[in-house]
Amino acid sequence: MNRRKEFTRNIVLLSVLSYLFLHISGLYLNPISAYEQAERSGHYGPSEMKHIEDYVSGKLILGTYDRWVSYTTIHRTGFFFWRPRGVNAFEYDRSKPLDYSRGIENQFYRLYGIVNDASIDQVEITLGDGTVLSQTDLYEDLFLFTWEEGGYPKSIRGYDAEGNLVYQEATGY
Amino acid sequence: MPSPGKEEFLGKVLRQIRFPFDRAGIRAELADHITERIDHYIELGYDQEHAEQAAVSDMGDPTQIGIELNKEHSPLLGWLWKASGLLVSLVILLNVLYVVPMLTMSLFSGHDTGHIPESSIFYEVEVDEIVRLDDRVIHFSKVIYDRAGNLHIFYEHYNVLLRGGWGVFHYIGSIRDDLGNTYGGGAGSGTGGLPRKGYRVVTGFSPEARILFIKYDLYNRHYEVKVPLPVGDVRE
């Protein structure tokens, strides 16, 4: 077989084998495809993506689907690929000024939730060791805290744009 | 002007060959050809030195020969051919590492009923109920109730698109019976591969129950499976 024919054969083989590999291995070339597959395999969503951020192993995507708030983790693997991981979601209570849930993955604590009271402009949590974390730029109506030490938060508070306390709650964690 | 020697001739030709992986082959072919000509002149009575000079002279201008050979052995096609060959090897390796294990995993995985001793089985029911969640098809295949009061639920599941990376499936739904009892999700396990096998065991299941209900109701997805259970101390 001459070189031109071998090259053509190689291109065909590359196309077929690459498709087979990506389809069956569960790896994706972009994080959004991996995120969509993570939700589909978790039988959740499709959610509306509100925020995406990097974390040490890959990306974390915050979203809403119907009456649930969720975060989905995507891991980077093999330099070029993305692997879907888990979907965490909770059904939020619209009657509460803000509602939230927690998670932990690879020693990273997370608290995520939704603000139902439009006057709340800032969400603040106090960790078990007294550390205070605050978020003023909400992701539309969602918030997300990620930290490594200090344990789960003991309390959560919501403030309006003037800094007045609108809501507070002991988390019970 | 005396003709260049054999090595000088070959060097001048190969300097025109841009695709380095072709140089060894071209060198060998030209060297063979020159050697044949040398042997021919030696048979005619030439000494070695003059035979080599005559043979090289017969070949022609080495630079021009190299230019023509370089055109025939296109460097661009050469690099494309070489790179495509390496990529095919890489992708084959990736498939061997990732795809083959996944395709063969479920062939050798467990979760048949072999771990439940025959003597401890109270009854066994072939189920054959199929439900679907998104791209996942779940086939509930068997239920076994043992004499310790444990209900074992066996199922297989696969992705209709044969797509990998779609996660395990441990939560099959709430477990209830026709007597109004609700049971915990139970312990379970699963295998990888395509398709996958799953298994749940529910402890303390009532021996008086006549229907098992498995109800999934999560994130706007629903299914319900009803499994009639045998009456009395019988085995299927």
Side-chain angles (χ1 to χ4, degrees), chain A residues 84-145:
Chain A
R85 301 299 290 183
V87 177
N88 297 271
F90 76 97
E91 185 174 349
Y92 66 95
D93 183 352
R94 293 175 196 269
S95 67
K96 294 175 66 175
L98 58 83
D99 201 4
Y100 55 91
S101 184
R102 64 178 179 172
I104 185 167
E105 182 181 348
N106 294 337
Q107 81 266 4
F108 282 92
Y109 293 93
R110 297 197 178 97
L111 188 98
Y112 66 108
I114 186 167
V115 169
N116 296 311
D117 183 341
S119 69
I120 293 177
D121 212 46
Q122 176 184 345
V123 179
E124 197 173 82
I125 59 174
T126 303
L127 304 183
D129 65 356
T131 305
V132 175
L133 303 177
S134 180
Q135 183 175 345
T136 51
D137 292 327
L138 303 182
Y139 311 123
E140 295 185 32
D141 46 1
L142 302 185
F143 57 89
L144 170 69
F145 296 93

Side-chain angles (χ1 to χ4, degrees), chain A residues 63-81:
Chain A
T64 56
Y65 164 63
D66 196 6
R67 54 189 188 274
W68 293 278
V69 178
S70 58
Y71 78 84
T72 303
T73 50
I74 310 298
H75 284 191
R76 184 190 287 275
T77 184
F79 297 111
F80 310 109
F81 302 113

